[in-house]
Amino acid sequence: MDKDEIKKQVELLKSKDSIKGYEALKLLVAASNGSDDAHSYMEEFFSMIDDSNSYIRTRALILIVENAKWDKEGRIEEEIERLLIHITDEKPITARQFVKLLPQLTGDKPELRGYIMEALKNADLSGYKEDTMRPLIEKDINEAEKKILEIDRGGKK
């Protein structure tokens, strides 16, 4: 994907049309796996994690993690606390998707392992309904912690 196409897809991430936004996300994730071209939009992704729309926040969080391997200037380290707030995002689905990304982030940024594990351990889940979402998020957190520990022992990302 050329730079103009990446720019177009980044703009579509904020689309009110969820299908277009999701398609843009898929294309940018694929582009992020092969090159650092989408990484040049990290500031844009960081600005999106505070969006009122949870779909836009989720897309941004995914792309930040997907581009962590290209983040040589330490932008993620600078913003780690702002990112980790999304472990308990107001929308449970955003929280769940982000928690599932944390082992990948730890694999690409092992120096953040302590921050991430601490945030998972101290996540206040009291804002979620006990009988529905809270058990699911607790399970996601436990699975993420296990995967991070596996990475520490030399397992796969």
Side-chain angles (χ1 to χ4, degrees), residues 86-97:
H86 294 283
I87 291 171
T88 55
D89 193 274
E90 66 182 90
K91 292 291 187 179
I93 191 65
T94 299
R96 294 191 71 204
Q97 289 183 321

Side-chain angles (χ1 to χ4, degrees), residues 2 9 13 20 23-24 26 58 62 65 69 82 103-104:
D2 68 22
Q9 296 306 318
L13 285 173
K20 285 182 182 177
E23 286 301 316
K26 289 192 319 187
T58 301
I62 290 168
V65 172
K69 62 185 155 284
R82 203 168 139 229
Q104 179 181 343

Side-chain angles (χ1 to χ4, degrees), residues 3-149:
K3 292 193 185 284
D4 289 335
E5 184 62 21
I6 287 175
K7 182 178 182 181
K8 176 183 168 191
Q9 296 306 318
V10 169
E11 290 168 10
L12 286 172
L13 285 173
K14 296 185 226 172
S15 176
K16 301 263 189 242
D17 180 334
S18 62
I19 293 170
K20 285 182 182 177
Y22 181 67
E23 286 301 316
L25 171 66
K26 289 192 319 187
L27 290 169
L28 288 166
V29 165
S32 299
N33 286 323
S35 78
D36 67 349
D37 291 342
H39 176 263
S40 62
Y41 290 91
M42 284 292 266
E43 290 306 317
E44 184 79 17
F45 302 153
F46 275 106
S47 74
M48 293 166 55
I49 67 172
D50 299 321
D51 199 277
S52 61
N53 183 314
S54 65
Y55 293 116
I56 292 172
R57 288 195 306 276
T58 301
R59 292 174 201 147
L61 292 165
I62 290 168
L63 286 165
I64 289 167
V65 172
E66 288 294 334
N67 282 280
K69 62 185 155 284
W70 308 113
D71 181 39
K72 305 303 181 214
E73 60 281 338
R75 186 71 178 101
I76 291 171
E77 287 88 332
E78 291 172 16
E79 295 285 358
I80 191 62
E81 289 170 14
R82 203 168 139 229
L83 279 174
L84 294 178
I85 288 169
H86 294 283
I87 291 171
T88 55
D89 193 274
E90 66 182 90
K91 292 291 187 179
I93 191 65
T94 299
R96 294 191 71 204
Q97 289 183 321
F98 181 60
V99 166
K100 290 176 183 180
L101 291 168
L102 291 175
Q104 179 181 343
L105 180 58
T106 303
D108 288 330
K109 295 280 193 177
E111 62 276 15
L112 295 176
R113 179 196 171 275
Y115 290 107
I116 292 169
M117 290 295 281
E118 189 73 19
L120 289 168
K121 185 171 34 165
N122 295 324
D124 178 7
L125 304 181
S126 63
Y128 301 113
K129 293 181 181 177
E130 283 186 52
D131 57 343
T132 55
M133 293 311 293
R134 191 180 308 175
L136 294 173
I137 296 171
E138 286 171 349
K139 181 181 176 211
D140 294 336
I141 287 173
N142 290 333
E143 287 176 12
E145 288 172 329
K146 285 179 193 169
K147 287 179 181 177
I148 290 168
L149 291 173

